[in-house]
Amino acid sequence: HALAHQALHSYRRRTMATFPPNRTSNMPVPGGPGGVPPTGVPPGASSSAGHDESYFTESRKGEVNELRMLLRTFATERDKQRKRDIMKKVIAYMTLGIDVSRLFTEMMLAIETRDLVIKKMVYLFLCNYAETHPDLAQMCTNTLVKDCGNEDPMVRGLALRSLCSLRLPQMIEYTSEPLRRSLQDGHAYVRKTGVMGILKMYHLNKEEFDKASFN
């Protein structure tokens, strides 16, 4: 027994020398007063989702304002590809559900171009916001009617298709004459677009269609 007691006493002394007593009782508790931040949360960071949403909203507003500034220099921009890239970015935002209707005025100014690709994108923009912003759509009517008489048959057809795609009852009086002319157009694409436009007009307002006397 004496030998066992002596061996146990010797073992305890070696253990104490190798592993000092635990003194962590006074250490700060994670997440507690004066403590370290919880794992995965950097100091000063907030886990609130509301702050994230606010950040992204402000970020989008800033980007839309940046696009507005680019569109305002559109007329003086000489690089054709850069012009297209600006338009593509506007359309990309629109398709993602970001409201870029604030750029309507700048987009209307950009429609005065010979570049068919840019015209297509501007027409797409106008048609997209026509139903939700009818007051804005009516502003572009004169431009579309004017393009329906363009020397390029592709422009005539695209303008007519866009005019008929606005699908607003108050627009019928503006579409009747361009549709009537399209049926006598020398290009098959314009005539085909005119026929499709008449069908849209019929389904939109049958009474106005009868008054237009397309029969």
Side-chain angles (χ1 to χ4, degrees):
H1 292 287
L3 289 174
H5 181 75
Q6 186 178 358
L8 179 60
H9 182 68
S10 176
Y11 171 77
R12 284 179 177 174
R13 283 198 305 172
R14 288 198 304 271
T15 303
M16 292 293 288
T18 307
F19 304 102
N22 183 6
R23 300 186 183 278
T24 60
S25 57
N26 294 325
M27 290 179 64
V29 180
V36 296
T39 305
V41 181
S46 171
S47 58
S48 173
H51 287 81
D52 293 339
E53 291 177 4
S54 175
Y55 170 78
F56 286 116
T57 301
E58 291 301 319
S59 177
R60 286 177 177 178
K61 284 181 180 179
E63 290 173 355
V64 172
N65 288 333
E66 183 183 344
L67 283 175
R68 176 183 279 121
M69 298 304 296
L70 290 172
L71 286 170
R72 286 178 179 174
T73 62
F74 202 80
T76 58
E77 177 62 60
R78 296 182 180 276
D79 189 337
K80 183 178 180 180
Q81 186 57 49
R82 180 168 169 76
K83 283 185 172 184
R84 290 184 177 184
D85 289 342
I86 293 170
M87 281 293 165
K88 286 178 182 177
K89 193 168 185 180
V90 174
I91 299 302
Y93 275 39
M94 184 181 75
T95 53
L96 287 171
I98 301 172
D99 184 10
V100 288
S101 61
R102 291 178 292 166
L103 304 177
F104 193 90
T105 303
E106 287 77 14
M107 291 292 283
M108 277 298 302
L109 294 174
I111 204 172
E112 299 294 339
T113 177
R114 292 181 178 273
D115 190 329
L116 192 61
V117 175
I118 291 177
K119 270 192 180 290
K120 283 181 179 180
M121 288 189 278
V122 176
Y123 289 160
L124 178 62
F125 178 91
L126 298 179
C127 293
N128 183 74
Y129 287 110
E131 195 169 345
T132 54
H133 299 75
D135 53 327
L136 299 180
Q138 202 154 358
M139 287 171 56
C140 69
T141 304
N142 291 336
T143 302
L144 290 173
V145 171
K146 178 184 174 183
D147 280 353
C148 285
N150 193 281
E151 60 184 12
D152 186 341
M154 291 300 294
V155 174
R156 292 200 301 273
L158 285 170
L160 183 62
R161 187 177 71 178
S162 300
L163 191 63
C164 295
S165 296
L166 296 178
R167 301 186 64 80
L168 299 170
Q170 65 268 33
M171 304 296 289
I172 291 179
E173 59 180 299
Y174 299 101
T175 59
S176 298
E177 189 56 35
L179 280 172
R180 191 174 282 105
R181 288 200 310 266
S182 71
L183 298 178
Q184 305 297 324
D185 197 277
H187 199 281
Y189 171 67
V190 181
R191 294 196 301 272
K192 175 185 174 183
T193 305
V195 171
M196 299 301 294
I198 288 173
L199 289 174
K200 289 180 180 179
M201 184 177 177
Y202 174 79
H203 288 291
L204 184 62
N205 194 321
K206 295 180 182 179
E207 292 181 2
E208 289 296 327
F209 178 83
D210 292 336
K211 290 179 183 179
S213 301
F214 284 105
N215 299 332

